[in-house]
């Protein structure tokens, strides 16, 4: 019987052991709660990173659209410039044709005047010749 007493005493938990075990359990529970909190924050950070990446993708798409619109505007400006240059060249060509026509008209008028003057000169010479012949008659 006296040998059973130390065995029973060894089998019965000591208050220090119970307190240490309770502290260990509490620390483990605290660590598990901390892990859950960290995982929740990590999930939140992942959502935030996804949202930021989505916003960055949207900003990049908007920047691409703005760049494309600017390129289209530059092409339109270039086409407008080409059209204006072509219209100006056509106007200058038309003015040159008009000037050419006016020069041709002036030359025709001058030629007509020369022809009329020559005809008058020829008529006067013929009249003088006729008068001379009439004087011999």
């Amino acid at each position: 019987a006296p040998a059973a007493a130390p065995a029973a005493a060894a089998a019965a938990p000591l208050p220090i052991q119970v307190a240490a075990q309770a502290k260990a359990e509490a620390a483990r529970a605290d660590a598990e709660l901390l892990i859950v909190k960290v995982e929740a924050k990590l999930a939140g950070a992942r959502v935030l990173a996804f949202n930021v990446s989505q916003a960055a993708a949207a900003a990049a798409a908007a920047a691409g659209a703005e760049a494309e619109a600017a390129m289209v505007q530059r092409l339109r400006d270039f086409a407008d410039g080409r059209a204006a240059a072509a219209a100006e060249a056509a106007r200058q060509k038309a003015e040159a044709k008009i000037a050419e026509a006016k020069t041709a008209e002036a030359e025709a008028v001058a030629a007509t005047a020369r022809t009329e003057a020559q005809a008058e000169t020829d008529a006067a010479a013929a009249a003088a010749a006729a008068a001379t012949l009439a004087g011999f008659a």
Side-chain angles (χ1 to χ4, degrees):
L14 297 176
I16 295 174
Q17 287 177 332
V18 170
Q21 190 172 0
K23 276 187 175 181
E25 291 288 328
R28 199 177 109 229
D30 285 346
E32 287 176 359
L33 180 62
L34 184 60
I35 288 170
V36 168
K37 284 181 179 179
V38 167
E39 286 176 349
K41 284 186 179 182
L42 182 60
R46 284 185 184 138
V47 168
L48 181 63
F50 176 75
N51 290 341
V52 167
S53 70
Q54 290 294 95
E66 286 177 10
E68 187 174 338
M71 182 181 70
V72 167
Q73 187 59 47
R74 282 195 303 276
L75 289 173
R76 281 185 182 149
D77 292 346
F78 177 74
D80 290 347
R82 293 283 302 257
E88 178 63 20
R91 185 188 65 75
Q92 289 176 357
K93 192 173 182 181
E95 286 178 356
K97 292 278 188 191
I98 290 169
E100 204 175 285
K102 284 182 180 177
T103 302
E105 182 183 8
E107 288 174 358
V109 167
T112 302
R114 281 193 304 269
T115 303
E116 288 174 356
Q118 186 64 46
E120 286 175 9
T121 303
D122 291 347
T132 302
L133 288 177
F136 288 122

